[in-house]
C-alpha cells in the first residue's frame, strides 16, 4: 500500500493498493489513491476552484485531524492553514505545498512540489521537471537539484546524483538534448552516499555544505594558478570575474 500525508495532517491522509508489479521509470509520477475516512483531498486551481480530472493544481488536505499550527510561528500557520475557499462556513484546510491532479477514478496523483518552481537569474524553471528528465537515464539511481546563492547577483542550479555508470558529461549531454539551455544545471556533483536527515529525507543542509566546499576547492585551484606574465594575469582576473570565483 502506498500512503500519502503530512505531519500537519497526522501523517496519513490517503492510501493506494498496489495489486500488481510496478512498471515504468523512476521519473514517473505515482498514484497516492483515495483519502482515508473523514478526510478529503482538494486539488484547487489558480481560481480556487476544484480541479477537473487531469487538471493540475495545488493539493490541500481537509480533515478534522489537522494540528493547530506551527509552534510560535503564526505567519507560517496563517500561510499553510487556510479557510476552505469552497465554503462560507468556517473550515480550515492544510496547504501541502504539493501539486497534482485527479485521474479518471478520482485518485490523487502527486506530480511535484510547488517549491520546485524557482527563479534563477530572472528565468523561472521547474526543478521537478529537471529531476524527472535526468532520472530518465536508467543508470542514474538518485538525483536532487538545489539552487545556491553564489553571491548577491548570481544564483546557480546544482545537481547531485548517484550513479555507478554515468558521469557529469553523460548527464549534461542528456540534459542538453531534452531541456532548454537555461534549465541545465551549472554544476553536477556525484555522491557515493545520499545524506539523510532525522525525518528520513534527503538532507539539504548537508548538500549545501558540499556545494560550499566544492566551490571553495575550485577557488583554491584558480588561486594556485601562476600567471607567466602580465597578460595572463589580466586574463585570469577577467575569467574570475565572469565565473564569479
Amino acid at each position: 500500500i502506498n500512503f500519502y500525508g503530512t505531519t500537519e495532517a497526522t501523517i496519513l491522509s490517503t492510501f493506494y493498493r498496489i495489486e500488481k508489479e510496478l512498471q515504468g521509470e523512476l521519473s514517473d509520477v505515482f498514484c497516492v489513491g483515495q483519502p482515508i475516512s473523514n478526510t478529503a483531498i482538494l486539488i484547487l486551481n489558480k481560481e480556487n476552484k476544484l480541479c477537473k480530472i487531469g487538471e493540475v493544481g495545488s493539493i490541500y488536505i481537509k480533515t478534522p485531524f489537522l494540528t493547530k499550527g506551527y509552534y510560535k510561528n503564526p505567519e507560517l500557520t496563517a500561510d499553510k492553514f487556510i479557510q476552505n475557499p469552497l465554503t462560507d462556513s468556517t473550515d480550515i484546510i492544510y496547504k501541502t505545498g504539493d501539486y497534482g491532479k485527479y485521474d479518471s477514478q478520482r485518485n490523487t496523483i502527486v506530480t511535484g512540489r510547488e517549491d520546485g518552481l524557482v527563479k534563477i537569474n530572472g528565468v523561472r524553471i521547474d526543478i521537478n521537471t529537471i529531476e524527472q528528465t535526468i532520472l530518465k537515464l536508467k543508470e542514474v539511481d538518485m538525483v536532487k537539484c538545489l539552487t545556491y546563492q553564489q553571491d548577491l547577483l548570481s544564483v546557480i542550479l546544482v545537481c547531485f546524483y548517484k550513479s555507478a555508470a554515468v558521469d557529469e558529461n553523460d548527464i549534461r549531454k542528456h540534459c542538453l538534448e531534452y531541456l532548454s539551455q537555461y534549465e541545465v544545471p551549472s554544476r553536477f556533483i556525484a555522491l557515493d552516499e545520499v545524506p539523510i536527515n532525522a525525518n528520513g529525507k534527503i538532507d539539504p543542509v548537508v548538500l549545501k555544505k558540499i556545494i560550499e566546499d566544492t566551490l571553495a576547492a575550485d577557488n583554491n585551484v584558480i588561486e594556485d594558478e601562476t600567471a607567466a606574465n602580465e597578460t595572463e594575469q589580466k586574463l585570469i582576473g577577467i575569467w574570475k570575474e565572469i565565473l564569479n570565483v
Side-chain angles (χ1 to χ4, degrees), residues 181-201:
Q181 179 70 46
Y182 59 81
E183 295 176 302
V184 178
S186 302
R187 299 299 301 261
F188 293 86
I189 300 176
L191 296 175
D192 294 324
E193 296 294 334
V194 181
I196 302 297
N197 61 23
N199 295 323
K201 298 181 179 180

Side-chain angles (χ1 to χ4, degrees), residues 25 27-28 131-139 174:
E25 308 291 340
S27 58
D28 293 345
E131 291 178 343
Q132 290 170 9
T133 298
I134 295 173
L135 281 171
K136 289 184 181 297
L137 276 171
K138 296 183 184 297
E139 298 87 353
H174 176 78

Side-chain angles (χ1 to χ4, degrees), residues 4 42-46 48 51 56-60 79-80 82 94-100 110-119 124-128:
Y4 170 77
L42 307 179
I43 304 181
L44 306 180
N45 59 26
K46 293 181 179 179
N48 279 333
C51 285
V56 175
S58 299
I59 299 178
Y60 296 81
D79 181 57
K80 292 291 189 177
I82 68 170
Y94 175 69
K95 182 179 180 180
T96 65
D98 294 327
Y99 59 88
V110 178
T111 58
R113 288 285 301 171
E114 291 183 348
D115 54 17
L117 295 172
V118 298
K119 186 174 286 188
R124 187 173 298 278
I125 64 172
D126 186 351
I127 288 180
N128 301 295

Side-chain angles (χ1 to χ4, degrees), residues 26 135 140-144 160-163 191 194 202:
L26 285 173
L135 281 171
V140 175
D141 301 317
M142 183 284 306
V143 63
K144 179 68 176 177
F160 291 91
Y161 68 95
K162 183 178 180 182
S163 175
L191 296 175
V194 181
I202 295 177

Side-chain angles (χ1 to χ4, degrees):
I1 297 178
N2 186 34
F3 293 108
Y4 170 77
T6 66
T7 302
E8 295 84 349
T10 327
I11 306 298
L12 298 181
S13 297
T14 74
F15 69 98
Y16 178 70
R17 295 183 183 276
I18 303 171
E19 298 179 343
K20 58 183 180 180
E21 183 177 351
L22 296 176
Q23 303 292 329
E25 308 291 340
L26 285 173
S27 58
D28 293 345
V29 295
F30 195 63
C31 178
V32 298
Q34 300 284 336
I36 62 174
S37 299
N38 262 355
T39 297
I41 299 297
L42 307 179
I43 304 181
L44 306 180
N45 59 26
K46 293 181 179 179
E47 288 74 40
N48 279 333
K49 303 293 185 182
L50 202 63
C51 285
K52 301 175 182 178
I53 290 174
E55 179 184 5
V56 175
S58 299
I59 299 178
Y60 296 81
I61 299 176
K62 170 181 163 61
T63 178
F65 311 127
L66 289 180
T67 58
K68 300 299 183 182
Y70 299 103
Y71 183 61
K72 292 186 177 180
N73 196 335
E75 293 83 7
L76 185 59
T77 297
D79 181 57
K80 292 291 189 177
F81 295 82
I82 68 170
Q83 168 62 32
N84 184 353
L86 302 180
T87 179
D88 294 328
S89 303
T90 301
D91 183 27
I92 301 301
I93 58 178
Y94 175 69
K95 182 179 180 180
T96 65
D98 294 327
Y99 59 88
K101 59 185 178 181
Y102 297 118
D103 69 9
S104 57
Q105 282 77 48
R106 282 285 171 181
N107 289 309
T108 298
I109 309 291
V110 178
T111 58
R113 288 285 301 171
E114 291 183 348
D115 54 17
L117 295 172
V118 298
K119 186 174 286 188
I120 296 181
N121 302 324
V123 180
R124 187 173 298 278
I125 64 172
D126 186 351
I127 288 180
N128 301 295
T129 299
I130 296 170
E131 291 178 343
Q132 290 170 9
T133 298
I134 295 173
L135 281 171
K136 289 184 181 297
L137 276 171
K138 296 183 184 297
E139 298 87 353
V140 175
D141 301 317
M142 183 284 306
V143 63
K144 179 68 176 177
C145 292
L146 293 177
T147 58
Y148 182 77
Q149 186 82 38
Q150 205 168 17
D151 53 44
L152 289 176
L153 299 176
S154 177
V155 177
I156 62 173
L157 183 64
V158 180
C159 171
F160 291 91
Y161 68 95
K162 183 178 180 182
S163 175
V166 298
D167 60 14
E168 172 183 343
N169 293 329
D170 298 319
I171 299 176
R172 186 182 296 278
K173 181 178 179 181
H174 176 78
C175 288
L176 288 170
E177 184 175 354
Y178 294 101
L179 299 172
S180 299
Q181 179 70 46
Y182 59 81
E183 295 176 302
V184 178
S186 302
R187 299 299 301 261
F188 293 86
I189 300 176
L191 296 175
D192 294 324
E193 296 294 334
V194 181
I196 302 297
N197 61 23
N199 295 323
K201 298 181 179 180
I202 295 177
D203 194 333
V205 175
V206 175
L207 294 183
K208 289 197 173 181
K209 180 62 167 59
I210 294 174
I211 296 174
E212 292 171 356
D213 292 344
T214 301
L215 294 178
D218 289 348
N219 286 344
N220 289 336
V221 170
I222 291 177
E223 293 296 335
D224 288 341
E225 293 293 336
T226 302
N229 52 52
E230 185 179 352
T231 301
E232 288 190 5
Q233 184 64 53
K234 289 181 179 179
L235 287 172
I236 290 175
I238 292 171
W239 279 109
K240 287 174 69 175
E241 182 177 349
I242 293 173
L243 298 173
N244 291 310
V245 297

